[in-house]
């Protein structure tokens, strides 16, 4: 790609703002600050053991999960970078029980930023792909932002209310996927300049696929519709599907979703007998919703099996949901099995 054709993230956002008024100046600033935070996180991860950032932090998050040092460091990078710009009213993170308000010494903005600062933490110490997932909402007028506890209410909006969503994936290259409601664009980090450069636009997911992603070790706990669907995939060409299927499971949602955006597929993290009480494994507000919007913007579908993820009315900031997303026809088939569980 010639340098002349390099369209950086900044230019892409300015052109979107200019041609389609899709990205007001404050939202453009917010996205650029998040992107720069992801570069900082990528550099920190890249140092590995040499940066002293591997291993456990010795603390737990609200989910009761042991935090890795990089979970905490990534969270701090995003908080520090975003609190002073004047574009945010508050931030929420997988790593914090309550939202973080913008300190009074800084101007308050109109947006809410949610993030999973480091998704796929169990992959860190084995040098597998990990990522950062983010979602942007507008802060409703007239909400009580007088305390962190009160501010939770402002975040409880359906995924359809998102104004921007994306992820960074820290793999062999560092990539940023972004949607502001006009398709999905992909940017590659130019490590020499530190800029994200547009390398793909209008990503699309084929409605059909022969590749699925699920953690098979949970199979005995799944509900009947998922048992039936996956059993049919495993039967291959001798079964009702009439073709063989391949399986991939990176155990980092960002990496599995990225693969689906690039070459298609279907991803499942169903709720099961063990997680039904909690609602599932993946978190709605900063994992399922941003990923569901990206997938739908690329022509795919995203469901709990019983409802469109983006339509869900959140009750809690850290609420969990079952997730089925990717190739439209596969999601539709699995949703139909949920509608006819006794077949
Ligand atoms: P961690 O961040 O704790 O590694 O969890 C990652 C994740 O939330 C999501 O990114 C993966 O798709 C899923 O969990 C992997 O879950 P399993 O480890 O149960 O396969």
């Amino acid at each position: 790609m010639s340098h002349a054709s390099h369209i950086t993230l900044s230019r892409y956002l300015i052109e979107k703002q200019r041609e389609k008024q899709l990205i007001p100046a404050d939202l453009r600033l917010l996205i650029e600050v998040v992107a720069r935070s992801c570069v900082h996180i990528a550099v920190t991860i890249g140092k590995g053991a040499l940066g002293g950032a591997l291993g456990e932090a010795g603390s737990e998050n609200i989910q009761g999960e042991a935090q890795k040092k990089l979970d905490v460091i990534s969270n701090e990078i995003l908080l520090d970078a975003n609190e002073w710009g004047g574009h945010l009213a508050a931030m929420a993170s997988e790593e914090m029980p309550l939202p973080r308000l913008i300190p009074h010494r800084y101007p308050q903005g109109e947006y809410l930023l949610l993030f999973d600062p480091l998704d796929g933490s169990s992959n860190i110490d084995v040098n597998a792909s990990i990522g950062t997932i983010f979602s942007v909402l507008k802060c409703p007028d007239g909400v009580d932002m007088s305390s962190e506890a009160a501010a939770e209410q402002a975040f409880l909006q359906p995924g359809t209310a998102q104004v921007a969503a994306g992820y960074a994936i820290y793999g062999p290259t560092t990539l940023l996927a972004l949607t502001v409601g006009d398709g999905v664009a992909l940017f590659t980090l130019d490590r020499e300049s530190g800029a994200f450069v547009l390398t793909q636009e209008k990503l699309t997911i084929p409605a059909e696929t022969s590749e699925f992603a699920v953690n098979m070790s949970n199979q005995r706990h799944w509900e009947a519709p998922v048992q039936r669907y996956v059993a049919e995939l495993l039967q291959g060409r001798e079964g009702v599907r009439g073709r063989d299927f391949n399986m991939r499971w990176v155990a980092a949602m960002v990496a599995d979703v990225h693969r689906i955006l690039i070459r298609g597929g279907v991803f499942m993290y169903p709720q099961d007998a063990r997680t039904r009480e909690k609602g599932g494994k993946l978190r709605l507000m900063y994992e399922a919703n941003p990923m569901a919007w990206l997938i739908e913007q690329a022509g795919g579908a995203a469901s709990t099996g019983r409802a469109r993820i983006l339509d869900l009315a959140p009750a809690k900031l850290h609420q969990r949901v079952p997730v089925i997303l990717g190739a439209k026809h596969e999601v539709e088939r699995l949703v139909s099995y949920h509608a006819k569980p006794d077949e």
Side-chain angles (χ1 to χ4, degrees), residues 136-153:
V136 182
L137 296 167
K138 292 204 69 172
C139 188
D141 295 330
V143 291
D144 176 4
M145 301 294 278
S146 60
S147 70
E148 290 184 338
E152 176 170 348
Q153 194 58 40

Side-chain angles (χ1 to χ4, degrees), residues 118-122 215 249 251-253 267 269 281-283 287:
L118 205 62
D119 174 64
S121 311
S122 52
N215 182 338
W249 186 250
M253 188 185 195
F267 169 98
Y269 211 114
K281 157 112 191 204
L282 302 179
R283 277 61 56 148
E287 289 177 330

